[in-house]
Amino acid sequence: MQSFIALYGFLDLVLRAYLLATQSVVVGGVAFLTLVLSPLDGKLDVEEAPIARRCLRILFWSCCASVVGEIVAVGVLTAMLVGTLQVDFAVAASADAVVSHFIAMILSGALALYARLDARSFFMWRMGAVALALLLACAHVGVTHAASRPVASALLVTTEIVHVLAAAIWIGGIPFFLVALGMTKRGEARRFIASRFSRSAMWAVGALIIAGLLMMTRHTPDLTALYETNYGMLLSTKIVLLFGLLCFAAANLSTTRKLWRVSATPIRRLLRFAEVEVGLGLVALFCAAALASASLPIDGGAERTSLSEIAARFAPRWPSFHSPAYAELSAAKAASSVAEPQTSGPLSPADIAWAEMNHHLAGVFVVLMGVFALLERHRRTAPVVRHWPLLFLLLGGVLVIRADETAWPLGPIGFFESLRDPQIVQHKVITILIATFAIFEWQVRRGRFKSDWPAFVFPITTGAAAAFLLTHYGHTEGAEEVLIAISHTPIALLGVVSASARWLEIRLSDSVAGRIGGYVWPVAFMLSGVLLLLYREA
């Protein structure tokens, strides 16, 4: 039980992100079917008629995924309450958060039954599905800051509901928009679907921004909290991701307006940009999940750093490649385990040098990969430098050995015992993503795959690693952790840029946007490497 409790923070973060994603797709699907496809009922030709059935199928499986996630969330939260509060099962199961998850599970199941209806019946009874989707959004708000305040504010709860609904209508509706637009053959139907969804998305974006600004003013006492606390850093990251989403949305809005004037306007770029919006939206939802676990600055419970501390930490300094012997580290002098944690004291000079060496080595690898990736674009150098993904495999090996000096293979804590520590688990996950990236991308560069899907391992693993890095310290509140989060956030955001650019390079390889993407991600790699080279632990 102690091991489970130690991992609960990480499990809670992953579950929150998973449920946010699945329920956004559920609510977004209901909104898309109601606002976009319902007016088209009976107006589509024979080839386009299956669009609604395909969307209902996606809605059904999204509801099923939400039900499974809620069942796991109920079990995990109940077990945590029983283990920490020493209460019986009935008391733990009656907690407000557990009840909210249980209600969301029932609502998701009811919507799954709705999604099994044929298209005509769903459109006829669509207001029932809309009511269930609204209740699902309300149930989710039951596990957010707005509802967990000592005295819940009706204004904040309402604002949170609007925020969740707006995000779902916009981001959760995009997968259905992609399916519908991809299946239409006639320019008139494409024009109608694109314009209807764009209109609903614009209203959703407006509501999202207004609700977000209102919650920000209520949760953060001043603007300095945006960079002096973990909550503020995550919120600032969400704002940056929102800006990226709005850039792609603006480009798609321009295409939609052209489509309205000329029905034969190509929609390929619109579809590919919308795919990138989905990816950015998922990362933003991951940040939102971490926000729900972070202490609010307005409560005074979150430790803060200061601008002077930030300036001192990030003053430029040449990277150091001196690594102390393992025997000099604090981990070598203390045989404590994760199961019996001790109060950690300040880092020793050897600990600091060890951690900085890890980041500086990673910086060298990442800069070299970016340089080699650019050189690969030239015929003369391509045969030699196309093996650059192997550097990532080498980097993964370095991280396995050096990333967690307290654990296997160097430290006194065994491999399985170390998995009780959420920070070590995240390191292992990121290392696995790096190794997966390296193996697949190397084979892609060598032309060993006949199908196209292995090329997408690059953007998917890079985006996933960036999401984990963005929230790597989101569940801790120490002032030192805030400084580490500040240093990791730009690197993670550059990872999101790399993933998006590589996706566009693959999906729009014969267009200007794809060619630009092919230059953007290597440059983003090099910038990430430079930031790693400048990293300071203290």
Side-chain angles (χ1 to χ4, degrees):
M1 179 58 72
Q2 292 301 318
S3 302
F4 169 76
I5 293 173
L7 272 176
Y8 174 75
F10 177 66
L11 292 174
D12 180 60
L13 170 63
V14 174
L15 277 172
R16 282 178 186 268
Y18 173 83
L19 290 173
L20 262 176
T22 55
Q23 291 172 8
S24 292
V25 175
V26 169
V27 176
V30 172
F32 186 86
L33 285 159
T34 303
L35 299 175
V36 179
L37 290 188
S38 178
L40 277 175
D41 186 30
K43 298 179 181 178
L44 299 175
D45 61 24
V46 176
E47 292 183 353
E48 296 166 341
I51 291 176
R53 290 200 300 271
R54 179 74 61 83
C55 289
L56 284 171
R57 193 175 302 125
I58 296 172
L59 177 61
F60 171 76
W61 287 111
S62 300
C63 291
C64 291
S66 177
V67 169
V68 172
E70 293 293 358
I71 291 172
V72 175
V74 167
V76 167
L77 182 55
T78 303
M80 191 277 294
L81 292 174
V82 170
T84 55
L85 302 180
Q86 301 299 313
V87 296
D88 58 31
F89 177 81
V91 174
S94 63
D96 290 344
V98 176
V99 172
S100 294
H101 283 302
F102 188 74
I103 292 173
M105 178 186 68
I106 294 174
L107 293 170
S108 297
L111 279 168
L113 295 177
Y114 245 101
R116 298 302 292 171
L117 297 172
D118 60 86
R120 184 63 57 85
S121 299
F122 182 91
F123 292 144
M124 184 182 301
W125 301 100
R126 61 185 179 275
M127 295 315 297
V130 171
L132 290 172
L134 288 172
L135 290 173
L136 181 61
C138 294
H140 170 77
V141 171
V143 293
T144 61
H145 285 302
S148 59
R149 308 288 292 162
V151 179
S153 166
L155 176 62
L156 272 180
V157 171
T158 304
T159 304
E160 184 79 50
I161 292 172
V162 171
H163 193 69
V164 170
L165 284 173
I169 292 171
W170 178 22
I171 303 301
I174 293 176
F176 298 89
F177 172 67
L178 287 169
V179 169
L181 210 59
M183 292 179 67
T184 52
K185 306 299 180 184
R186 295 178 298 121
E188 183 181 351
R190 285 179 175 177
R191 181 169 59 185
F192 184 87
I193 290 172
S195 62
R196 293 279 298 187
F197 180 72
S198 294
R199 195 175 300 118
S200 62
M202 282 192 292
W203 281 104
V205 169
L208 181 78
I209 293 173
I210 293 171
L213 287 172
L214 180 58
M215 287 192 295
M216 185 179 74
T217 59
R218 295 303 181 95
H219 290 163
T220 53
D222 49 62
L223 291 178
T224 60
L226 292 178
Y227 57 84
E228 291 183 353
T229 64
N230 267 324
Y231 183 92
M233 281 303 303
L234 288 166
L235 183 57
S236 300
T237 302
K238 272 188 66 180
I239 293 171
V240 173
L241 291 170
L242 175 62
F243 177 76
L245 279 163
L246 290 176
C247 289
F248 282 102
N252 280 347
L253 180 61
S254 174
T255 303
T256 300
R257 288 176 174 172
K258 291 179 183 177
L259 185 63
W260 184 256
R261 294 192 299 268
V262 182
S263 60
T265 300
I267 62 169
R268 184 163 170 254
R269 194 189 73 165
L270 184 151
L271 294 174
R272 304 305 169 240
F273 279 14
E275 291 169 356
V276 174
E277 283 187 73
V278 173
L280 292 175
L282 288 174
V283 178
L285 290 176
F286 211 92
C287 285
L291 271 173
S293 303
S295 298
L296 293 176
I298 197 71
D299 292 336
E303 291 192 45
R304 299 178 68 146
T305 184
S306 65
L307 189 59
S308 59
E309 289 178 306
I310 295 172
R313 172 64 63 88
F314 297 103
R317 189 182 68 181
W318 285 106
S320 170
F321 295 98
H322 166 70
S323 177
Y326 180 76
E328 300 176 41
L329 302 181
S330 301
K333 301 174 182 178
S336 60
S337 69
V338 180
E340 298 176 355
Q342 295 180 352
T343 303
S344 58
L347 295 175
S348 68
D351 295 333
I352 293 171
W354 181 275
E356 290 182 351
M357 175 68 168
N358 292 345
H359 288 81
H360 297 163
L361 271 178
V364 171
F365 282 120
V366 176
V367 168
L368 286 176
M369 283 185 281
V371 172
F372 290 160
L374 282 178
L375 291 175
E376 189 187 7
R377 304 186 70 83
H378 299 278
R379 291 182 181 179
R380 293 182 179 179
T381 54
V384 178
V385 299
R386 68 177 180 176
H387 303 289
W388 62 263
L390 291 178
L391 288 173
F392 244 148
L393 200 59
L394 185 58
L395 173 60
V398 171
L399 292 178
V400 167
I401 297 172
R402 293 182 57 96
D404 300 296
E405 67 274 13
T406 61
W408 180 91
L410 294 179
I413 305 173
F415 175 79
F416 292 104
E417 187 182 6
S418 71
L419 297 181
R420 302 173 186 177
D421 187 325
Q423 197 171 105
I424 293 177
V425 170
Q426 285 180 302
H427 285 160
K428 303 300 184 190
V429 170
I430 292 175
T431 302
I432 291 171
L433 290 172
I434 288 173
T436 304
F437 168 101
I439 294 169
F440 275 87
E441 190 62 18
W442 183 44
Q443 298 296 347
V444 168
R445 299 286 161 180
R446 298 172 68 200
R448 293 301 180 91
F449 292 113
K450 294 181 180 179
S451 58
D452 296 331
W453 71 263
F456 295 101
V457 172
F458 176 160
I460 292 172
T461 54
T462 304
F468 274 109
L469 192 58
L470 281 171
T471 58
H472 187 35
Y473 296 90
H475 54 276
T476 54
E477 297 298 337
E480 184 64 27
E481 300 292 352
V482 179
L483 292 170
I484 296 175
I486 293 173
S487 66
H488 283 70
T489 296
I491 299 170
L493 287 173
L494 285 169
V496 174
V497 171
S498 300
S500 303
R502 175 59 176 155
W503 185 277
L504 291 177
E505 183 189 21
I506 297 169
R507 298 291 275 165
L508 295 172
S509 57
D510 56 349
S511 70
V512 174
R515 288 191 289 272
I516 292 174
Y519 283 98
V520 167
W521 68 260
V523 173
F525 266 37
M526 288 188 286
L527 291 175
S528 299
V530 170
L531 291 176
L532 286 167
L533 286 169
L534 296 175
Y535 177 83
R536 292 175 62 179
E537 185 74 14

